[in-house]
Amino acid sequence: IFFRVCFLLALHFSISMHRTFLGFVVLCAVMQGSLGSPWFCHDIECPKFTTEAEKGKVEIRNYEATAWVQTNFTGAGEDDYSLAVGKGFNRLFRYISGANEKNVKIPMTAPVLVNIHPGAGPNCNTTFTVGFFVPFEFQKDVPKPASDDVYVKCYGPGKVAVMSFGGYAMGWEAQKKHFTALAEKLQDLGVKFKETPLATAGYDSPFRILNRHNEVWYYLE
């Protein structure tokens, strides 16, 4: 919202001053980032973090302790990623729509976080944990889910390595190459990371066409 207001003001006052217009838009974007969530949260709540380091396309983040609402899905392998995300999202959306002990509607947040626990062997199942960040107003008193397959999980402060990319992240293959690139970069930098679980973070609805933002994470040791 803040960015859109700035954009309209810049257009009104600078329609004939192209350079001033662009400068004002950039200033508004910087101000938005300093006043609230990062731009890629798109005006909805995200968990708070600080950036410890940026090394090329790799960002090292420190996250605060947070509560999440989660659900698990077991698949035959990583190729069931899209199915797991779809089913998990629907369960969690029912929860925030009122399927909880207080029958309250809870605002949507970002990202949709998916932790992927690959099976130990080629014929072993993969477990997907799909999670929604609990809004700040509910962090200290999270409504209990009405469904047995949805649960609340509290995480302590943690550090992750992140690689971001745009566009539509459709299916496991779209994610896999970014995990490979992130792992190779971390190895080159000498940064130790946990190989499992893998984590993906999606920030956009399917209806957003421009400025899409996706992330892959490795948890750091």
Side-chain angles (χ1 to χ4, degrees):
I1 294 173
F2 180 79
F3 181 81
R4 286 195 288 270
V5 170
C6 287
F7 188 89
L8 291 173
L9 285 172
L11 181 61
H12 178 73
F13 289 110
S14 308
I15 192 68
S16 62
M17 302 172 63
H18 185 64
R19 291 182 179 178
T20 302
F21 168 70
L22 291 177
F24 193 74
V25 170
V26 170
L27 176 62
C28 286
V30 172
M31 288 175 64
Q32 184 194 29
S34 64
L35 291 175
S37 299
W39 68 268
F40 48 79
C41 294
H42 300 304
D43 299 327
I44 61 177
E45 290 186 9
C46 292
K48 293 180 180 179
F49 67 87
T50 57
T51 299
E52 179 178 307
E54 290 187 80
K55 302 176 182 180
K57 294 183 178 181
V58 177
E59 181 181 1
I60 306 299
R61 294 179 185 168
N62 289 297
Y63 276 92
E64 297 181 359
T66 48
W68 293 69
V69 60
Q70 299 184 159
T71 187
N72 295 334
F73 178 86
T74 300
E78 289 91 343
D79 288 340
D80 282 334
Y81 174 86
S82 295
L83 178 62
V85 173
K87 287 185 174 293
F89 184 94
N90 289 337
R91 291 176 188 172
L92 298 177
F93 189 77
R94 286 194 292 271
Y95 167 80
I96 67 172
S97 298
N100 53 73
E101 63 178 357
K102 297 183 179 179
N103 297 315
V104 295
K105 291 187 177 181
I106 300 171
M108 185 64 195
T109 59
V112 176
L113 187 65
V114 184
N115 283 297
I116 304 141
H117 302 262
N123 297 318
C124 297
N125 290 333
T126 295
T127 300
F128 303 87
T129 301
V130 185
F132 285 3
F133 169 65
V134 175
F136 294 110
E137 66 176 300
F138 294 103
Q139 279 283 315
K140 294 183 179 180
D141 186 18
V142 184
K144 182 179 178 180
S147 174
D148 291 337
D149 55 14
V150 176
Y151 60 96
V152 176
K153 175 75 172 181
C154 295
Y155 291 95
K159 182 180 295 188
V160 297
V162 179
M163 181 172 283
S164 304
F165 59 100
Y168 283 88
M170 304 297 288
W172 175 245
E173 288 301 319
Q175 312 281 352
K176 185 177 179 180
K177 62 181 180 181
H178 296 289
F179 279 115
T180 301
L182 178 55
E184 290 176 351
K185 186 63 177 178
L186 291 174
Q187 290 167 352
D188 290 342
L189 294 170
V191 177
K192 294 182 179 180
F193 62 95
K194 300 177 182 178
E195 294 185 3
T196 59
L198 310 169
T200 67
Y203 290 81
D204 304 298
S205 79
F207 305 105
R208 179 177 293 279
I209 299 175
L210 302 176
N211 297 322
R212 296 186 61 83
H213 185 84
N214 314 282
E215 297 171 352
V216 293
W217 295 6
Y218 276 115
Y219 296 97
L220 299 186
E221 297 180 351

